[in-house]
Amino acid sequence: MRNAQITGIGHYLPERVITNFDLEKIMDTSNEWIVGRTGIRTRRWVQHGDTLSGLAYNAANKALAMAGKTAEDIQLILFASMASDHAFPGGGCFLQDKLQIPGVPAMDIRNACSGFLYGLSVADQFIKTGKYDTVLLVGAEIQSTSLDLTTRGRDVSVIFGDGAGAAVITATDNSDKGILTTHLHADGRYANKLWADAPSVNDHPPLTKELLDTDRIFPKMEGRFVFKHAVEKFPEVINEALQTTGLGIGDLDLIIPHQANLRITEAITHQLKIAGEKVFSNIERYGNTTAASIPIAISEAVDQGLIKKDSLVCLASFGSGFTWASAIIRW
Ligand code: ACO
């Protein structure tokens, strides 16, 4: 049976490193609070001249090089992000322009922290049906320019960072390899538990000078509510993938959860009764990069030798929507 396999992976992070001590200078927070509640010590923020499609392009080129492919081989671009370079069109088109492959379809996926796994599932279907042989899937975010960098927004703004990760997904005739299963879920009842309320097209007009003086334009999170649902849904969706494939938790070489918050990752590790070293974490260095966090983590795990040929890896996400998802891949 034909399967889809990640044959190239790469990541790119903006150069500007923001420490917790830098945040202490612009809002009432402390390194101790941020490390204790989130595990984050540094994150990357873009600087003038960086663009969302530019971060994605750099990550994509690394993934293409690893896969031994060029941009001309790509038959579909899937672009997972909360944002685009501009209000519209979607970021996939800006990335396609940089890759200089006019005519190739570019699809945007706006599922926040689950965006990469939603994209992985879409790529899997297109490849399994034989429609495409080579798909580029990118998760990329610039979040730092949209955060409330005052004390009012400190609960959210200390968590998020910028970055991009990319995967080249290709067809294989080996049904034991590649993407073995994917599982997608959403629950829109909780959309306003982690969201940015405005600007909204439901307002007339959507943008006013008065609106810019309110906190409605910034991301908001009911932290404890999100935490409670995340620690329930992560194990649930990982177990769903294990049951579908007939695998046990002990069969997995590595779990890569979306890098939401170290306390969430530790709670999942505890609930699944799995050794801590089998659950990947890099949130300490990059914070929460939303759709980019899983491909950045896969790329680093490959670089560190934690994912090798035939490794069995479970990917899992939970985030705004709410959306949650999982996949099991054999590398
Ligand atoms: N620095 C210092 N103090 C802060 C900060 C900050 N950055 N942010 C909030 N505080 C203060 C609050 O104002 C509050 O002060 P008060 O007691 O005087 O009112 C105090 O810290 C405790 O606030 P809580 O919101 O009750 O803190 P909590 O213990 O819930 O921790 C946190 C907040 C870390 C967000 C927690 O709810 C959490 O871990 N939530 C999980 C959600 C999450 O991390 N999501 C990641 C993004 S979503 C995703 O990717 C799934």
Side-chain angles (χ1 to χ4, degrees):
M1 201 186 86
R2 186 179 156 100
N3 251 8
Q5 186 178 12
I6 298 176
T7 45
I9 188 86
H11 68 281
Y12 180 81
L13 293 148
E15 284 171 15
R16 187 159 70 123
V17 178
I18 303 291
T19 67
N20 295 343
F21 302 105
D22 295 326
L23 296 180
E24 282 181 3
K25 291 179 201 143
I26 56 173
M27 62 182 79
D28 182 10
T29 190
S30 67
N31 176 57
E32 194 186 5
W33 193 97
I34 301 170
V35 173
R37 304 291 177 114
T38 71
I40 300 165
R41 290 179 189 275
T42 59
R43 72 286 291 141
R44 302 293 182 92
W45 285 2
V46 289
Q47 49 200 339
H48 197 68
D50 288 330
T51 63
L52 182 65
S53 55
L55 303 187
Y57 177 73
N58 290 337
N61 277 332
K62 291 180 183 180
L64 285 166
M66 183 177 165
K69 301 273 185 195
T70 66
E72 287 68 36
D73 295 315
I74 299 167
Q75 295 169 303
L76 170 68
I77 296 171
L78 298 170
F79 190 86
S81 183
M82 296 280 280
S84 174
D85 289 51
H86 298 276
F88 68 87
C93 288
F94 293 104
L95 172 60
Q96 191 230 46
D97 183 42
K98 285 198 165 60
L99 290 165
Q100 297 182 4
I101 45 173
V104 170
M107 192 187 296
D108 281 62
I109 297 175
R110 208 169 167 222
N111 287 98
C113 308
S114 298
F116 185 82
L117 292 186
Y118 267 68
L120 194 72
S121 183
V122 173
D124 188 32
Q125 312 312 313
F126 270 120
I127 288 175
K128 279 213 177 89
T129 58
K131 175 83 175 168
Y132 298 122
D133 294 325
T134 305
V135 175
L136 174 68
L137 167 61
V138 176
E141 302 286 1
I142 292 180
Q143 309 186 97
S144 58
T145 53
S146 309
L147 298 172
D148 182 355
L149 297 178
T150 69
T151 298
R152 182 181 63 182
R154 63 183 177 177
D155 59 323
V156 173
S157 51
V158 301
I159 292 176
F160 293 97
D162 306 333
V168 172
I169 303 161
T170 55
T172 171
D173 289 329
N174 184 344
S175 60
D176 293 333
K177 290 287 255 187
I179 302 165
L180 305 184
T181 190
T182 60
H183 302 270
L184 310 180
H185 297 280
D187 191 342
R189 288 178 298 170
Y190 305 124
N192 66 358
K193 301 296 182 188
L194 180 53
W195 74 334
D197 170 29
S200 163
V201 290
N202 302 335
D203 289 341
H204 301 267
L207 205 52
T208 61
K209 282 183 182 165
E210 292 72 38
L211 179 69
L212 296 180
D213 290 330
T214 72
D215 65 353
R216 286 184 58 213
I217 56 170
F218 294 113
K220 295 270 173 34
M221 171 176 73
E222 277 188 37
R224 289 181 182 201
F225 193 88
V226 172
F227 190 95
K228 196 174 121 238
H229 283 256
V231 299
E232 180 186 313
K233 293 300 179 194
F234 267 113
E236 195 177 288
V237 80
I238 289 169
N239 282 324
E240 187 181 353
L242 288 170
Q243 275 158 21
T244 305
T245 48
L247 294 163
I249 191 85
D251 295 320
L252 297 174
D253 294 299
L254 195 66
I255 295 179
I256 297 186
H258 159 58
Q259 303 292 300
N261 178 323
L262 187 62
R263 292 203 309 187
I264 293 177
T265 299
E266 286 171 352
I268 306 166
T269 308
H270 179 73
Q271 285 190 41
L272 291 172
K273 298 185 176 57
I274 185 166
E277 59 269 22
K278 283 201 167 185
V279 185
F280 188 86
S281 177
N282 60 7
I283 194 164
E284 183 182 37
R285 285 174 287 133
Y286 306 136
N288 180 332
T289 57
T290 305
S293 99
I294 290 179
I296 292 172
I298 300 172
S299 179
E300 286 206 327
V302 169
D303 289 347
Q304 293 167 18
L306 297 172
I307 300 179
K308 303 185 273 288
K309 187 173 176 288
D310 291 330
S311 290
L312 206 47
V313 182
C314 183
L315 312 171
S317 66
F318 178 86
S320 173
F322 290 150
T323 57
W324 61 103
S326 65
I328 292 181
I329 57 176
R330 189 180 292 282
W331 195 257

